[in-house]
């Protein structure tokens, strides 16, 4: 049970997504004139930009978020694991999830601009890796700033520390009655689909799929149960899920008592020499995920 908790944390921190699906692009009628094509494209670009700006305007502006968390990990070893803990975030510095059992901290998953740290306090072992050391993160352009945006319920572009005004022009628009989907251009390896509520303009789901026919799997980050926080709507239900790889896993986080204070250490967890370091490749290879 204790070892399984550690493995789950490592997998959730380092598992990639691959997919065999491809987006189909709509084609304009062949009889459309060049002028009409230009006009339609300009209108589509303007609509996409206007909507993207609305979604961005809903982001929480505070620099810190801390909350109590109920964490549930499913899909590993046929067992579900649940634990209480905390989610602590300071913008551009840290995202930290700690797990507690019987009043003791038993596991930590910590993201900083330089690396990812997973700690198993039961067995005094840990994994620490730079983002460019994990092949799929490097290929997908996923770094700390992308992962941070996921936990803050924000749009992002792979490889960008923050969205600029010109970056917002890179999103295209797909609409249905209930949802509006923003899809950034210029992502050659993966397709990112930011699915928003068409009425509230809040981000409800990120879906990441591969573009090659040989790609398998899907990565998703879901948001639900929004409440007023920092003058904005913020989700209190988060779910990270990896599926279609043969090793489906998910991490569900239920938040309560959200605060904007920063009374936690953001310099990163320090470990004594009693802890044994493991590599991400070592753990994932044992699970057949490499």
């Amino acid at each position: 049970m204790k070892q399984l908790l550690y493995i789950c944390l490592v997998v959730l921190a380092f598992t990639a997504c691959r997919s065999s699906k491809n987006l189909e692009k709509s084609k304009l009628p062949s009889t459309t004139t060049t002028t009409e094509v230009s006009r339609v494209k300009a209108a589509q670009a303007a609509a996409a930009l206007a909507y993207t700006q609305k979604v961005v305007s809903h982001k929480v502006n505070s620099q810190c978020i801390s909350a109590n968390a109920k964490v549930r990990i499913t899909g590993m070893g046929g067992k579900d694991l649940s634990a209480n803990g905390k989610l602590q975030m300071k913008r551009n510095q840290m995202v930290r999830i700690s797990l507690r059992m019987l009043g003791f901290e038993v596991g930590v998953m910590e993201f900083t601009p330089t690396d990812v740290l997973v700690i198993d306090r039961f067995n005094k072992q840990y994994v620490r890796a730079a983002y460019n050391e994990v092949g799929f993160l490097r290929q997908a352009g996923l770094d700390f700033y992308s992962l941070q945006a996921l936990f803050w319920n924000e749009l992002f572009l792979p490889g960008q520390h923050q969205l600029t005004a010109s970056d917002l022009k890179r999103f295209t628009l797909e609409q249905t009655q209930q949802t509006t989907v923003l899809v950034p251009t210029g992502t050659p390896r993966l397709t990112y689909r930011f699915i928003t509520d068409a009425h509230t303009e809040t981000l409800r789901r990120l879906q990441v799929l591969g573009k090659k026919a040989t790609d398998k799997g899907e990565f998703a980050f879901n948001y639900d149960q929004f409440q007023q926080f920092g003058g904005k709507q913020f989700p209190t239900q988060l779910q990270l899920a990896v599926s279609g790889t043969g090793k489906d896993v998910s991490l569900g986080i239920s938040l309560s008592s959200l605060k904007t204070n920063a009374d936690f250490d953001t310099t990163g967890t320090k470990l004594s020499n009693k802890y044994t370091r493991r590599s991400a490749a070592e753990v994932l290879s044992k699970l057949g995920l490499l």
Side-chain angles (χ1 to χ4, degrees):
M1 181 76 169
K2 298 175 182 177
Q3 185 70 5
L4 181 59
L5 173 63
Y6 170 64
I7 291 173
C8 286
L9 288 172
V10 173
V11 171
L12 288 166
F14 293 105
T15 299
C17 58
R18 297 180 176 86
S19 175
S20 60
K21 299 179 181 179
N22 286 301
L23 291 178
E24 294 184 359
K25 297 182 178 179
S26 60
K27 297 182 180 180
L28 293 171
S30 58
T31 56
T32 304
T33 67
T34 302
T35 301
E36 290 173 332
V37 169
S38 298
R39 179 178 55 79
V40 170
K41 286 185 176 180
Q44 291 173 338
L49 176 59
Y51 189 80
T52 302
Q53 290 171 330
K54 290 179 180 179
V55 174
V56 170
S57 72
H58 289 297
K59 77 174 186 178
V60 173
N61 294 319
S62 63
Q63 294 301 301
C64 299
I65 294 178
S66 62
N68 294 331
K70 291 185 178 180
V71 180
R72 184 181 183 187
I73 302 171
T74 63
M76 291 300 301
K79 297 180 180 180
D80 292 352
L81 295 173
S82 298
N84 292 324
K86 283 186 173 296
L87 172 66
Q88 298 169 312
M89 304 190 294
K90 186 168 185 180
R91 195 178 290 278
N92 299 329
Q93 293 191 36
M94 177 183 291
V95 174
R96 188 178 194 269
I97 301 171
S98 62
L99 303 181
R100 302 183 71 86
M101 289 183 180
L102 301 176
F104 296 95
E105 185 176 75
V106 296
V108 175
M109 187 159 47
E110 190 173 275
F111 302 95
T112 68
T114 56
D115 56 37
V116 181
L117 174 66
V118 180
I119 304 171
D120 169 17
R121 295 203 183 279
F122 271 131
N123 299 293
K124 294 193 181 316
Q125 58 184 340
Y126 70 99
V127 172
R128 185 188 294 276
Y131 295 92
N132 62 8
E133 291 182 274
V134 185
F136 54 77
L137 289 178
R138 181 177 62 252
Q139 293 169 4
L142 292 177
D143 57 11
F144 168 76
Y145 299 96
S146 300
L147 294 169
Q148 171 180 252
L150 288 175
F151 283 96
W152 283 80
N153 187 231
E154 296 175 0
L155 299 176
F156 69 88
L157 288 173
Q160 297 288 95
H161 287 191
Q162 61 183 6
L163 292 179
T164 64
S166 60
D167 289 331
L168 301 187
K169 298 177 182 179
R170 288 179 53 185
F171 289 88
T172 60
L173 204 63
E174 299 176 6
Q175 292 181 298
T176 68
Q177 288 186 340
Q178 299 298 324
T179 64
T180 299
V181 184
L182 293 171
V183 182
T185 59
T187 58
R189 297 181 182 275
L190 298 171
T191 295
Y192 299 79
R193 293 173 55 83
F194 294 93
I195 301 168
T196 70
D197 185 296
H199 303 292
T200 64
E201 300 154 355
T202 52
L203 178 59
R204 295 306 178 105
R205 175 180 171 86
L206 168 66
Q207 180 185 42
V208 186
L209 304 169
K211 290 188 175 182
K212 295 182 180 179
T214 55
D215 290 337
K216 297 179 180 179
E218 175 184 320
F219 170 87
F221 206 106
N222 301 292
Y223 308 93
D224 205 353
Q225 300 298 315
F226 284 70
Q227 69 176 40
Q228 279 289 327
F229 176 67
K232 307 288 184 178
Q233 290 288 313
F234 192 80
T236 59
Q237 298 287 335
L238 313 176
Q239 184 193 42
L240 180 159
V242 178
S243 61
T245 64
K247 299 285 184 177
D248 295 357
V249 293
S250 70
L251 169 68
I253 305 175
S254 179
L255 303 177
S256 62
S257 302
L258 276 72
K259 300 177 182 178
T260 58
N261 59 30
D263 58 350
F264 53 90
D265 185 6
T266 59
T267 60
T269 302
K270 304 297 189 297
L271 295 171
S272 72
N273 55 14
K274 295 181 180 180
Y275 281 76
T276 301
R277 182 170 184 171
R278 309 292 185 189
S279 70
E282 177 184 359
V283 176
L284 295 178
S285 62
K286 289 180 180 179
L287 297 171
L289 294 173
L290 285 181

